[in-house]
Amino acid sequence: MSTQNQIPDEDRPSPAGWRVQLTRFREQKPHLFLLLFMVLIPAFLMPPVTWLTLTISGLAMGLMLFIMASGMTLTFGLMGVLNLGHGAFISLGAFAGATVVAFWLGDYAGSSSMLVNMAAIIPALVFAMAVAGLVGLVFERLVIRPVYGDHLKQILVTVGGSIILMELIHVIWGPNEIPVPRPDSLRGAVIVADTVPLIGGMAVEKYRLVAVVLGLAVYGLMIWVIDRTRVGILIRAGVENTEMVEVQGYRIRLLFLAVFVAGSALAGLGGAMWAMYQEIITAHMGDTLMISVIVVIILGGLGSIRGCFYGAILVGLINLYVGYLEPRLAAVTTVGLMMAVLMWRPQGLIPVIKV
Amino acid sequence: MLNTIFSGDFPRSRILSVMLLAIFVMLALGPFLFPSTRAFSTLGMICIFIIVVASYDVMLGYTHIVSFAHTMFFGIGAYGVAMAVTAMGNTFSAILAGTLAAVAVTIVLSLLLGLLSLRVRAIFFALVTLAVAFAFMTLVNQLYTVTGGEDGLRVRVPRELGPAFRPFDGTLRGFSITTFLSGLFTQPWNLGEVIREAMFDVRITGRDIMYYVTFAFSLTAFLLLLRMMNSPFGRVLQAIRENEFRAEALGYRTVYYRTAVVLVSTVLTTLAGVLFALLNRYVNPENTLNFELMVFILLMCVIGGMGTLYGAVIGVALFMLAENYLQDLLRVLGGYVEGIPLVERLVGPEHWLFWFGLLFVLSVYFFPRGIVGLLRLCSANGARRRAFAADENAREQRESQA
Amino acid sequence: MAEPMLTLSGIRADIDQYHILHGVDLQVPQGELTVLLGRNGAGKSTTLRTIMGLTRVTAGGIRFGGDDITGMPTPQIARKGIAFVPESMGIFGLLTVRENMVLAAINGPIDPARLEWVFTLFPPLKTFWDRSAGNLSGGQKQMLAIARAIIEPRELLLVDEPTKGLAPAIINDLAGAFEELKGQRATILLVEQNFNFSSRLGQSVAVMDDGRIIHSGSMADLAGDEALQQHLLGLSLGAHQ
């Protein structure tokens, strides 16, 4: 009796073939797909030790870019404000952080004890965030407030504001580039013991490891805030429908301000970290980094923190891989990656805003 | 006839007309009014950048397309002819080859960018052009074997366009404005002497020919743009700017119009780049592809007045003056604020960009229509007031007669 | 008669360059469900939006519970105790049902007892508690929209066309929910085109046309007077249900 109800073998649907599964993976998780692609292909083009070193360095750069870019993507997603002056905050943070670590607390930075170094680094990072955040507050009130809703004017005034800020950096810190010596305990590399198979003898710069750890911590914190706190719910709701959030009784203008200040502070943090990474800073470093930031946020999808994260890692990795394989093409390849992804996914990898 | 030349788009403001006329005379008679070479090259630059900024205005002001890749097209023209001359020698055929190649590259890139603008929204587009321009500049820097990298390329112009060539012997007489004016202020009683000192000999060389070629191009291109923007084509552009959806609904394929505008704008800019290379005789990434240059173009367009074309003329002239003479002004002002710590440094001549940036931001807030818009507004108000007063007078007369 | 909860006097409002409201005089009595009727384009939604501060008032005044709320910013009006369920429902599709409700509870964590009561009114919300709100059906979204407005006690509920586009069975559920709210002496201003729904629930009624209130009185009177219905709304509503 029961056999009458069974589906004959030849009609039963077969488990999805690997091709279908791959397509599904590519469509639903484009960011992971691309990441896998990005990481695996170069593995065949270079020795494993080099690949691992570059991957870690790429992660470090990517995570610093993520910190810098997250503020801009959130600002655009929530407030619809395109702040082309974001690069100035990066520069500002770099200079503020450098002032602490190279001048004010230079003695602590010079010590070889990691603990004492931290007494210089942590205040430097905090100071960088505070300065950038404060300037961000003033910037939002003075420059951005009057042009809410007008994208064209926003582009214009934020570009102008950026010029003014960078000139102010010139005024305060002088026009020359400033060297930023890395704190002693973070110099040099960690060497993997020779006895470890495959990667024995590999050297990984200590600072890069620190950058990766810090970057992941910031990402984790942001995701936690966005996903699990009431503020995060508010931000996500505001990104979707600002008016309705006000109808619920929330003063979203204050939230805008808070997000903008936080974004600027993050830019400052990224700038300060970058300063110690490059060990030299100029007022216009923000401009060059902005190009990478722009690629990152477009790649990731405007308004999406997760997208920004993956986009940043992709940009960091491609910079390092191509930088090794064919250094002259590094910048072009980064932009090329952005164009390719745009043709494939016009809204970015993990879109939030309907573009 | 004036109507035809100006395509019906008059300055509409007496002050503006005077300013434009002054600029025109200055440019037309340049070699005969300014003996110094610095002034002479500035005039050439003004001619070239009027076209660069005017074609940018056509995109930004008339069609609201924000692009940061404008310098890229300028650089394509400049480098195109520079590389051609370096490879093929300083002949006119080299110049022609370089120009054609540059224009071809420009057309291809413009079409690609146009295609991109279909896929993504305006904000994305602006950012993407920024990234593309940056990538291009890096590429030029990296391929130093053909482009000269950071050092750039020297451009050897054909003999006929160079300083050694004399189209005819003998000299012409020129009249130096600056010497005349300074003489007028210092010794106005000695008018005869002042006039005599202001006269100077002008030897026409190939460089002057080059200058007048540039001037002719600039004038023609500008009038062409004026004609375009005041034609039915231009009206459709404005419709697209105001309400694209509506324009599309009315049956205008906005894609075609947008692409056409971008093509015209970029090709003109490329040609301007070609002339820049020939006039300046030296190209490098900094004077053609730099982001700072892009910002300057933006500044000149906005401060002059977006969507007016005349704004480009005013903006460029103002900017060139500022760049050269603002530093002097700041030096003078610096003398007054000596002693106040931070302010003293701010007013230093090397920070003229700060003040210009401030002016830019303020003008976006308070004079969104730029200088030209402001002048036109004043003029329109004046005209309205005069018309109103005339009406009042007429009415009073009628009443008194009744 | 008790002081009305909400009073609009001579309200004029524009949207861009169009004049929508031409002097609205409306009184919403306390503890009752008042229905705002009128044909499309009469200005009913705009009236609600104006009360909520989303549309700017160019003339006239709005008094709520003794305070003048004309021109107050929207969040402040909401905090005075007015909840608004717009025509578009306004739920946050990217958030879960739970997150939508958490956001709506502006005065602190959600009261579990009250939440249970909301679940009895709208069972699907419990089923889909952790699902993305964008995945709900139309009727379920409407339930969520109303649930958000009542998860905390509010002085006044403004509801804009809740039954639009919904199946009759769902409409029935909504009517039951409103009956319960009425039982709790809530003050409700309901904009509706569905006359059956309105006459079943409404105690007072106001009719709008062309940006003005052209009739106000008790629902019972209007429901019983076909000639009046014909005059005000152009048709006999009873015949069209």
Side-chain angles (χ1 to χ4, degrees):
Chain A
M1 290 285 269
S2 54
T3 50
Q4 282 180 328
N5 294 331
Q6 275 192 342
I7 308 170
D9 273 343
E10 54 270 20
D11 290 345
R12 198 178 297 145
S14 58
W18 67 270
R19 254 185 290 258
V20 176
Q21 284 191 323
L22 193 64
T23 315
R24 217 178 287 159
F25 178 59
R26 194 187 70 206
E27 291 308 309
Q28 288 173 359
K29 300 234 185 285
H31 49 287
L32 292 177
F33 178 78
L34 206 53
L35 190 61
L36 222 57
F37 207 70
M38 178 69 57
V39 165
L40 286 180
I41 302 286
F44 296 108
L45 299 171
M46 56 185 79
V49 175
T50 319
W51 176 83
L52 197 56
T53 318
L54 288 179
T55 306
I56 295 181
S57 306
L59 279 176
M61 176 178 176
L63 284 166
M64 280 187 269
L65 275 179
F66 163 69
I67 294 177
M68 290 181 221
S70 52
M72 191 169 171
T73 199
L74 210 54
T75 307
F76 186 79
L78 181 64
M79 301 150 68
V81 164
L82 198 63
N83 178 17
L84 283 179
H86 198 72
F89 294 106
I90 297 176
S91 295
L92 215 55
F95 274 82
T99 310
V100 172
V101 101
F103 298 118
W104 295 348
L105 299 179
D107 299 328
Y108 291 160
S111 151
S112 47
S113 147
M114 166 150 299
L115 229 55
V116 179
N117 280 165
M118 281 301 148
I121 296 176
I122 296 185
L125 296 180
V126 170
F127 185 61
M129 290 178 76
V131 167
L134 198 64
V135 175
L137 180 71
V138 174
F139 199 78
E140 200 270 352
R141 291 270 128 155
L142 282 185
V143 178
I144 307 227
R145 264 293 181 83
V147 293
Y148 262 115
D150 189 337
H151 278 155
L152 182 63
K153 283 204 180 149
Q154 271 166 24
I155 292 177
L156 296 178
V157 299
T158 51
V159 168
S162 177
I163 295 178
I164 295 178
L165 281 177
M166 288 201 186
E167 281 297 307
L168 280 175
I169 291 181
H170 272 160
V171 168
I172 300 177
W173 278 282
N176 302 316
E177 44 190 33
I178 298 183
V180 184
R182 242 180 247 177
D184 230 38
S185 67
L186 292 178
R187 282 183 210 253
V190 167
I191 314 262
V192 177
D194 275 330
T195 49
V196 177
L198 213 66
I199 57 171
M202 178 177 89
V204 181
E205 277 195 40
K206 286 188 207 166
Y207 189 77
R208 300 219 170 121
L209 286 174
V210 172
V212 169
V213 169
L214 193 57
L216 288 174
V218 171
Y219 177 58
L221 188 67
M222 288 186 79
I223 290 290
W224 179 77
V225 168
I226 297 270
D227 281 351
R228 300 222 180 277
T229 62
R230 190 178 253 250
V231 172
I233 298 178
L234 213 47
I235 291 177
R236 279 181 290 139
V239 167
E240 196 177 339
N241 189 341
T242 311
E243 189 179 80
M244 209 51 214
V245 173
E246 285 196 303
V247 166
Q248 305 276 57
Y250 297 98
R251 289 159 66 191
I252 201 150
R253 303 272 153 197
L254 277 184
L255 185 67
F256 284 179
L257 186 61
V259 166
F260 191 82
V261 169
S264 309
L266 281 170
L269 175 64
M273 288 177 71
W274 191 259
M276 289 189 274
Y277 181 70
Q278 294 284 92
E279 297 194 272
I280 194 153
I281 52 176
T282 68
H284 288 282
M285 61 184 275
D287 277 340
T288 4
L289 284 167
M290 265 306 274
I291 304 293
S292 299
V293 165
I294 284 172
V295 171
V296 165
I297 66 177
I298 289 186
L299 204 54
L302 287 171
S304 161
I305 291 293
R306 279 189 174 78
C308 189
F309 179 74
Y310 287 103
I313 295 196
L314 283 168
V315 170
L317 287 175
I318 208 178
N319 249 299
L320 266 297
Y321 290 147
V322 177
Y324 169 80
L325 291 170
E326 181 56 80
R328 291 180 301 176
L329 292 182
V332 178
T333 329
T334 311
V335 174
L337 174 69
M338 176 186 76
M339 302 288 276
V341 172
L342 271 185
M343 287 297 161
W344 176 39
R345 304 233 149 203
Q347 298 180 28
L349 288 173
I350 307 183
V352 171
I353 318 289
K354 291 287 158 275
V355 179
Chain B
M1 189 188 78
L2 264 181
N3 210 0
T4 322
I5 297 181
F6 282 99
S7 310
D9 191 354
F10 291 105
R12 274 171 276 154
S13 154
R14 250 173 260 167
I15 306 179
L16 181 61
S17 305
V18 167
M19 287 169 79
L20 289 172
L21 190 63
I23 294 174
F24 177 75
V25 167
M26 226 174 54
L27 293 177
L29 302 176
F32 300 98
L33 294 175
F34 300 97
S36 86
T37 30
R38 177 171 161 218
F40 179 71
S41 56
T42 307
L43 288 175
M45 289 303 125
I46 291 182
C47 286
I48 290 175
F49 277 98
I50 284 180
I51 296 308
V52 174
V53 177
S55 53
Y56 193 67
D57 190 20
V58 160
M59 278 202 303
L60 180 68
Y62 282 89
T63 334
H64 275 191
I65 298 177
V66 182
S67 152
F68 288 111
H70 214 61
T71 40
M72 181 175 84
F73 295 108
F74 184 68
I76 289 176
Y79 269 93
V81 87
M83 295 196 312
V85 164
T86 309
M88 296 167 56
N90 57 339
T91 60
F92 282 105
S93 47
I95 296 179
L96 188 65
T99 310
L100 287 176
V103 170
V105 170
T106 295
I107 291 181
V108 167
L109 280 178
S110 299
L111 288 175
L112 283 177
L113 279 180
L115 207 71
L116 181 74
S117 79
L118 280 179
R119 294 278 278 173
V120 300
R121 210 171 66 173
I123 297 303
F124 266 25
F125 184 73
L127 297 180
V128 168
T129 54
L130 184 59
V132 169
F134 178 76
F136 185 81
M137 183 172 91
T138 321
L139 199 63
V140 165
N141 261 320
Q142 303 282 33
L143 300 176
Y144 56 84
T145 41
V146 285
T147 62
E150 264 185 39
D151 295 324
L153 294 172
R154 292 216 158 275
V155 182
R156 281 165 52 236
V157 296
R159 195 175 155 272
E160 289 81 5
L161 300 175
F165 178 71
R166 305 281 309 282
F168 52 83
D169 284 322
T171 61
L172 297 171
R173 302 293 273 158
F175 185 79
S176 166
I177 292 276
T178 43
T179 317
F180 175 68
L181 286 175
S182 70
L184 209 59
F185 282 124
T186 49
Q187 33 174 358
W189 52 88
N190 217 346
L191 208 57
E193 176 80 32
V194 167
I195 293 182
R196 231 172 301 129
E197 276 189 6
M199 305 282 273
F200 66 99
D201 285 335
V202 179
R203 283 188 169 73
I204 301 288
T205 70
R207 292 211 65 202
D208 297 294
I209 297 182
M210 186 66 232
Y211 174 77
Y212 276 107
V213 167
T214 310
F215 174 72
F217 166 77
S218 195
L219 189 65
T220 322
F222 186 80
L223 291 176
L224 183 76
L225 284 177
L226 213 55
R227 166 54 58 101
M228 265 186 79
M229 290 303 115
N230 286 288
S231 67
F233 176 78
R235 301 258 173 268
V236 176
L237 287 185
Q238 290 182 2
I240 295 175
R241 179 185 72 194
E242 298 302 325
N243 190 341
E244 180 173 347
F245 185 68
R246 188 89 195 277
E248 187 85 36
L250 284 171
Y252 293 106
R253 297 295 300 277
T254 56
V255 176
Y256 294 151
Y257 283 91
R258 270 245 192 81
T259 314
V261 163
V262 171
L263 276 175
V264 168
S265 170
T266 52
V267 168
L268 280 179
T269 308
T270 305
L271 292 175
V274 165
L275 288 171
F276 173 81
L278 294 173
L279 203 60
N280 200 41
R281 288 178 297 160
Y282 172 57
V283 303
N284 67 10
E286 198 182 311
N287 63 10
T288 50
L289 297 170
N290 209 1
F291 185 61
E292 199 174 72
L293 184 62
M294 184 66 240
V295 172
F296 289 167
I297 296 175
L298 193 59
L299 254 64
M300 289 187 266
C301 186
V302 172
I303 293 183
M306 285 192 290
T308 59
L309 281 182
Y310 291 115
V313 180
I314 302 292
V316 170
L318 192 71
F319 188 83
M320 294 288 171
L321 278 174
E323 194 179 25
N324 286 317
Y325 300 113
L326 188 61
Q327 306 207 18
D328 298 331
L329 176 67
L330 282 175
R331 211 165 284 134
V332 169
L333 283 177
Y336 289 119
V337 294
E338 232 173 289
I340 316 173
L342 215 60
V343 182
E344 163 184 56
R345 271 208 265 180
L346 261 182
V347 186
E350 64 275 14
H351 296 303
W352 69 278
L353 190 56
F354 171 82
W355 295 102
F356 211 79
L358 199 60
L359 178 67
F360 174 63
V361 174
L362 290 175
S363 72
V364 173
Y365 289 144
F366 299 118
F367 310 120
R369 304 217 147 267
I371 295 179
V372 169
L374 192 66
L375 289 174
R376 280 183 175 166
L377 199 67
C378 289
S379 179
N381 278 343
R384 216 178 301 136
R385 242 176 278 129
R386 280 193 295 276
F388 183 69
D391 276 342
E392 286 290 300
N393 276 338
R395 196 166 55 81
E396 272 170 37
Q397 278 192 340
R398 260 181 280 125
E399 279 172 8
S400 64
Q401 281 170 3
Chain C
M1 198 168 119
E3 167 91 18
M5 173 126 275
L6 179 73
T7 311
L8 273 68
S9 320
I11 293 294
R12 289 180 188 279
D14 306 335
I15 295 183
D16 294 336
Q17 66 265 55
Y18 301 112
H19 305 296
I20 310 286
L21 301 181
H22 299 124
V24 171
D25 295 295
L26 177 65
Q27 288 180 336
V28 178
Q30 197 166 4
E32 285 184 13
L33 191 148
T34 307
V35 182
L36 189 56
L37 290 175
R39 23 178 212 92
N40 280 330
K44 310 187 296 294
S45 293
T46 310
T47 306
L48 291 190
R49 287 178 62 89
T50 312
I51 297 171
M52 212 55 205
L54 297 169
T55 305
R56 213 168 49 92
V57 168
T58 52
I62 308 176
R63 292 196 73 82
F64 172 67
D67 298 321
D68 183 359
I69 62 169
T70 334
M72 247 187 213
T74 306
Q76 206 175 346
I77 295 179
R79 296 230 170 221
K80 282 226 170 273
I82 305 184
F84 177 44
V85 183
E87 208 176 325
S88 57
M89 292 180 273
I91 58 160
F92 301 110
L94 295 177
L95 272 51
T96 62
V97 171
R98 182 189 72 87
E99 288 171 333
N100 268 278
M101 296 296 282
V102 164
L103 212 54
I106 56 178
N107 290 321
I110 301 177
D111 175 13
R114 191 138 175 125
L115 184 60
E116 278 308 310
W117 169 65
V118 169
F119 282 154
T120 57
L121 291 179
F122 305 122
L125 295 184
K126 184 166 188 173
T127 325
F128 294 111
W129 187 237
D130 281 310
R131 297 273 285 279
S132 176
N135 290 336
L136 297 176
S137 73
Q140 291 162 345
K141 283 182 182 162
Q142 190 62 263
M143 291 181 187
L144 175 59
I146 297 175
R148 283 194 319 182
I150 60 175
I151 189 59
E152 286 180 347
R154 293 270 184 268
E155 314 262 325
L156 174 64
L157 282 162
L158 304 173
V159 189
D160 198 347
E161 298 206 36
T163 66
K164 196 166 76 166
L166 295 184
I170 314 281
I171 296 180
N172 236 352
D173 291 340
L174 281 184
F178 277 109
E179 291 281 5
E180 274 221 34
L181 287 170
K182 274 173 61 181
Q184 297 191 345
R185 317 292 300 136
T187 309
I188 305 174
L189 178 59
L190 175 72
V191 167
E192 247 312 329
Q193 300 249 34
N194 183 332
F195 190 66
N196 211 354
F197 190 77
S198 323
S199 57
R200 177 175 156 188
L201 294 169
Q203 289 147 302
S204 302
V205 66
V207 182
M208 264 191 97
D209 195 22
D210 209 21
R212 282 184 200 84
I213 302 286
I214 55 175
H215 169 85
S216 63
S218 86
M219 177 57 83
D221 291 343
L222 181 61
D225 192 343
E226 272 202 37
L228 188 59
Q229 289 169 28
Q230 191 82 284
H231 169 69
L232 290 174
L233 300 158
L235 35 71
S236 156
L237 293 158
H240 285 258
Q241 296 301 325

